[in-house]
Amino acid sequence: MRARPLSAPARALLAATTATPSRRRLLRGALAGGALAATGGVLAACSPKGMAPQAGASTRPACTATDLSASERKVSFGNWVQYLDVDENDEKRHPTLAAFKARTGIEVSYTEDINDNNEYYGKIRAQLGACQPIDRDIVVFSDWMVNKFIRNGFAQELDPAKTPNYRRNLLPSLKARPYDQELRFAVPWQSGLTGFAVNTRVAKEVRTVDELLTRPDLKGKVSVPMEMPDTMGLLIASLGKNPAAFTPEDFDAALEKLRKAVESGQIRRFTGNEYVQDLAKGDVAAAIAWSGDALQLGLNDDKIKFVSPDEGLLIWSDAAVIPVTATHASNAMALLDHYYDPKVAAELAAWVNYVCPVAGAQDEMVKIDPELAENKLIFPDDAMLAGVKAFAPLGEAEEKAYQARFSAVMGV
C-alpha cells in the first residue's frame, strides 16, 4: 500500500525543481509486514589514515582523521531506517541525494543501518575509542546520545565557513540545545514529538499514561520505546513532575509504574522503529510513539491516530554528527548544509513528516503540499511548542545509572 500521492501541481513543481517526481514516503517495511560508556585513553596516529589530537569537546583524549575530501569526492552516510525521501519508481534512489550529487559531484553512499541509539553506538564505540575507522562520515543519533557522543570526544568540529545554510536557517528554538550551544558539533536532522499512537480499529483512544499502562482492554497490546528518555519522560510527566528537571526519587517512582506494567503483562514489548509494523497490523493497539511514524501510518490507515497525552508531548531532535574517524569531513559538511536549503528541507519533510528544523521550509512546503504546510506535527506553531516538554540532559554518571535501572526493567 502506498501513501497518498502528491497533487499534480506538486508533482509538476518537484519535477521542475529537482527532476524527481515524489510521493509521500511509504512505510514499506511496516505496511508490507517486512522488514555504553566509551573507551578512554585513545592514541594519536593510530589509524591507517593517520590521526591528530583534537582539542575541545571532551576531557577525554580524542583524534581526528585526515580529511581526504578534495581527492576523494565521496561521503558515507549512516541514518535511521526510512528517514530520507525515496523515488517512487526506484526505492534505491533518493531524489535529494541525487540533486546533491548533480550539484557538487560528490557521490553519497547511504545506509539505513540505525534502529536504536544504544544498539548502534554499542557497535561503533570501541572502534571510535581506538581511533579506528567505522566507514561512516555522518551518523545520526537522538539528542541525548549526541550529548554522549560529543562528551566522549567522538565528534569532529564543524567549520562555519562550510555550513552557512545551517547557521543561517536553523530554527531559533533549536539553537539553545544544552549539549551544543555554539553549534560546533551537531546538525539537527529532524525533530519530533513523543506521544501516543492508537489503532482505533483495535481500541478506543488513550488519553493518559495511566490508561496506557493499566486499561484492561489494552493488556498485551501496548508497546513502549527502548529509548529511555522517551518512555521515562512521559512516565515522569504522568506523576506531575517535569522531565526536564526530575529527581532520582521521581525517576524511581515512574520506573515502578513501568515495572508493574511489565510484570502484569500490559506491555507487549519494548521496541525500536519496528513498533510501526505491530501497530499497522493491529497486534499493538496503543504505543508510546513518535509523531512522524504515526502521521505516516495515518496517511495509509485513517484508523491510526496520533494522540497528545493529557500529560503533554515530549519534544526531541535527531542530529547528525561527523565521527572523529571520518575521512571526508568537508564533503559531509557540504551534504548536511545541502539539507538546510529550505527547498531541499521541504522536499525531505514532505516524505518523512517529522518536525522540520529548517527556517523557511514551511513557505517552500506550501508550493509542494499546502496541507502538509499547515500540519502542526511538521511545523508546530508557538502555542503548540509552549506546551511541550523535554527530557533533561544527563551527565555521564547519571545517564549510566538511570539507563542501568531502565534496562533492568526491560529485561536486558
Side-chain angles (χ1 to χ4, degrees):
M1 186 185 300
R2 287 194 174 271
R4 180 170 64 82
L6 292 174
S7 64
R11 283 182 181 278
L13 174 69
L14 287 176
T17 56
T18 66
T20 53
S22 182
R23 185 185 291 264
R24 296 279 183 86
R25 193 195 81 177
L26 165 69
L27 280 172
R28 297 180 299 277
L31 300 180
L36 271 163
T39 303
V42 298
L43 301 174
C46 59
S47 89
K49 295 288 187 182
M51 302 291 177
Q54 175 189 340
S58 172
T59 56
R60 301 186 180 205
C63 51
T64 301
T66 300
D67 190 359
L68 304 176
S69 293
S71 59
E72 296 182 356
R73 303 296 288 165
K74 61 183 182 179
V75 63
S76 177
F77 185 0
N79 204 351
W80 293 75
V81 176
Q82 299 179 341
Y83 221 8
L84 190 64
D85 52 305
V86 177
D87 190 321
E88 64 176 347
N89 297 315
D90 180 358
E91 292 186 352
K92 295 182 179 180
R93 182 177 183 274
H94 305 282
T96 56
L97 287 185
F100 173 75
K101 180 183 177 182
R103 181 173 61 83
T104 65
I106 298 171
E107 184 77 40
V108 182
S109 173
Y110 184 75
T111 308
E112 295 181 330
D113 54 353
I114 303 175
N115 182 64
D116 173 75
N117 284 287
N118 281 315
E119 177 185 72
Y120 191 77
Y121 183 72
K123 292 178 180 179
I124 64 175
R125 63 182 178 182
Q127 291 165 268
L128 291 171
C131 295
Q132 296 173 353
I134 62 168
D135 299 322
R136 295 289 181 271
D137 298 302
I138 301 170
V139 293
V140 178
F141 288 116
S142 297
D143 45 15
W144 63 270
M145 181 59 81
V146 173
N147 180 29
K148 175 187 284 191
F149 201 82
I150 295 171
R151 188 177 67 222
N152 288 332
F154 290 162
Q156 291 197 39
E157 191 159 354
L158 301 167
D159 183 344
K162 296 175 181 176
T163 52
N165 285 338
Y166 166 55
R167 292 178 176 275
R168 179 170 54 249
N169 296 328
L170 177 65
L171 284 179
S173 59
L174 291 172
K175 290 182 177 180
R177 291 166 295 153
Y179 60 83
D180 191 27
Q181 292 186 358
E182 297 178 357
L183 310 183
R184 294 172 60 200
F185 297 103
V187 177
W189 179 251
Q190 299 289 290
S191 287
L193 301 163
T194 302
F196 299 150
V198 181
N199 187 331
T200 59
R201 187 173 285 105
V202 180
K204 65 180 182 179
E205 284 194 5
V206 179
R207 302 303 315 184
T208 69
V209 170
D210 285 348
E211 267 192 89
L212 185 77
L213 298 184
T214 62
R215 220 172 71 191
D217 64 305
L218 298 177
K219 187 171 183 177
K221 298 179 180 180
V222 173
S223 72
V224 299
M226 292 185 288
E227 304 285 341
M228 184 264 288
D230 291 285
T231 296
M232 294 306 297
L234 283 184
L235 265 72
I236 290 168
S238 76
L239 300 172
K241 305 294 184 177
N242 183 359
F246 61 87
T247 66
E249 293 75 20
D250 297 336
F251 186 91
D252 287 344
L255 192 63
E256 183 59 25
K257 293 176 75 168
L258 183 65
R259 179 182 289 107
K260 289 180 179 178
V262 171
E263 292 175 351
S264 72
Q266 184 80 359
I267 294 176
R268 178 184 178 89
R269 61 174 177 152
F270 292 79
T271 69
N273 281 341
E274 70 275 12
Y275 77 94
V276 295
Q277 301 170 16
D278 292 338
L279 193 62
K281 291 187 293 184
D283 293 339
V284 159
I288 293 178
W290 300 309
S291 55
D293 291 342
L295 179 55
Q296 293 153 21
L297 286 171
L299 290 171
N300 292 279
D301 182 350
D302 62 8
K303 296 298 183 181
I304 297 178
K305 309 289 186 182
F306 184 72
V307 179
S308 177
D310 289 353
E311 296 89 349
L313 294 163
L314 294 181
I315 192 166
W316 47 266
S317 294
D318 287 336
V321 287
I322 301 172
V324 290
T325 57
T327 54
H328 305 96
S330 293
N331 293 344
M333 288 181 231
L335 178 58
L336 295 175
D337 207 53
H338 169 70
Y339 283 97
Y340 272 74
D341 178 323
K343 292 182 180 179
V344 177
E347 185 175 353
L348 175 61
W351 279 80
V352 302
N353 295 163
Y354 276 96
V355 176
C356 181
V358 180
Q362 187 171 17
D363 291 339
E364 295 297 330
M365 183 68 84
V366 172
K367 305 171 188 176
I368 298 173
D369 189 323
E371 181 183 339
L372 284 185
E374 296 300 318
N375 194 307
K376 293 182 181 180
L377 295 181
I378 301 174
F379 301 104
D381 58 20
D382 290 343
M384 185 174 186
L385 289 174
V388 301
K389 300 175 173 68
F391 193 80
L394 303 175
E396 185 172 4
E398 290 177 306
E399 181 185 305
K400 186 176 181 179
Y402 286 136
Q403 184 64 52
R405 281 136 75 184
F406 179 73
S407 295
V409 171
M410 280 201 298
V412 298

